[in-house]
Amino acid sequence: RYVIGNNIDASDTVNWNSAAGFNPLGNNTTQFSGILDGLGNKISNLTINRPTTDYVGLFGRTNGASIRNIGLLGGSVTGRDAVGGLVGLNNNSNISNAYATGSVTGANSSVGGLVGYNNSSSISNAYATGSVTGQYAVGGLVGENGNSSSISNAYATGAVTGGQNYVGGLVGYNNSNISNAYATGAVTGQFFVGGLVGVNTNNSSISNAYATGAVTGNQFVGGLVGSGGNISNAYWNMETTGQTTSAG
């Protein structure tokens, strides 16, 4: 059980480990399984620059963890697969009252402003405002929302750019539940591109949600989602998204 007692200026991490920056807490073999309560404090200017490393974020990989009441202000996070500002792979864990405002870059897949891959986990009362760049499953808040997971009371406002497929303003690839959420950032990708979600599978649902950011792609492009799934009480802005249909 851990708490953050004060705000932390992490500017010096830009020079750590031969410019690789901060070493994420938890990885493929040693996952973080504790409780972290930030007590409303924030970590500023965190730098992680590991473009060939998977599971990258302040926490690289969690399992059975609880992370709450914490903010990441500014900074930048770079990795390969499962990359997020706060958590790279959030597994069987809960995140609440959390935000990130820095930029996030992934060389490949599952890249999100707050969480890269959310698996059998919940995220609530959360937001991300930084730009997000990756190839596949790229989202302003979460890259991939996996099985038995939920995202609620959340939003993202940063620009999202995917070099390939499954790109969304909030979530790139959704295979579970999203409720009470919105996205306002511009979204750019190739296939399955949506203002809110890139792919919303048949096993998933979206409710009480909207998108307003400009959406650009080649095929399966929608103002709200790139492709279907179960959607209720949701809308997109045709003028600002530039899309006349909700789903590609």
Side-chain angles (χ1 to χ4, degrees), residues 9-241:
D9 184 354
S11 297
D12 286 347
T13 55
V14 71
N15 297 315
W16 287 9
N17 299 310
S18 301
F22 184 76
N23 190 22
L25 302 168
N27 51 46
N28 196 32
T29 57
T30 308
Q31 302 158 31
F32 179 77
S33 58
I35 297 172
L36 176 79
D37 194 324
L39 302 179
N41 292 306
K42 56 183 176 288
I43 298 172
S44 303
N45 305 313
L46 178 73
T47 297
I48 303 175
N49 184 24
R50 300 169 183 268
T52 61
T53 301
D54 299 337
Y55 313 120
V56 173
L58 175 64
F59 292 90
R61 185 169 179 172
T62 65
N63 189 12
S66 177
I67 301 171
R68 55 185 182 249
N69 306 321
I70 184 174
L72 294 173
L73 189 63
S76 64
V77 174
T78 300
R80 184 172 58 184
D81 290 320
V83 185
L86 181 63
V87 179
L89 172 57
N90 192 46
N91 186 59
N92 191 32
S93 300
N94 301 313
I95 295 173
S96 61
N97 304 325
Y99 66 88
T101 68
S103 62
V104 177
T105 302
N108 196 26
S109 65
S110 300
V111 185
L114 188 74
V115 173
Y117 191 162
N118 192 48
N119 185 60
S120 298
S121 300
S122 67
I123 298 173
S124 62
N125 304 328
Y127 68 88
T129 63
S131 62
V132 182
T133 305
Q135 293 296 316
Y136 301 89
V138 186
L141 185 78
V142 175
E144 182 170 352
N145 192 39
N147 294 331
S148 303
S149 297
S150 65
I151 298 171
S152 61
N153 305 330
Y155 68 88
T157 63
V160 181
T161 303
Q164 297 295 328
N165 309 334
Y166 319 133
V167 187
L170 187 79
V171 175
Y173 191 99
N174 181 43
N175 199 39
S176 213
N177 302 314
I178 297 172
S179 61
N180 305 328
Y182 68 87
T184 63
V187 184
T188 304
Q190 295 295 321
F191 302 98
F192 299 103
V193 185
L196 188 77
V197 172
V199 168
N200 189 47
T201 70
N202 292 332
N203 300 319
S204 60
S205 67
I206 296 172
S207 62
N208 304 329
Y210 69 88
T212 63
V215 183
T216 305
N218 289 329
Q219 194 171 2
F220 304 110
V221 182
L224 190 69
V225 298
S227 71
N230 301 307
I231 302 173
S232 63
N233 300 326
Y235 71 89
W236 83 103
N237 185 313
M238 284 193 292
E239 293 180 352
T240 60
T241 63

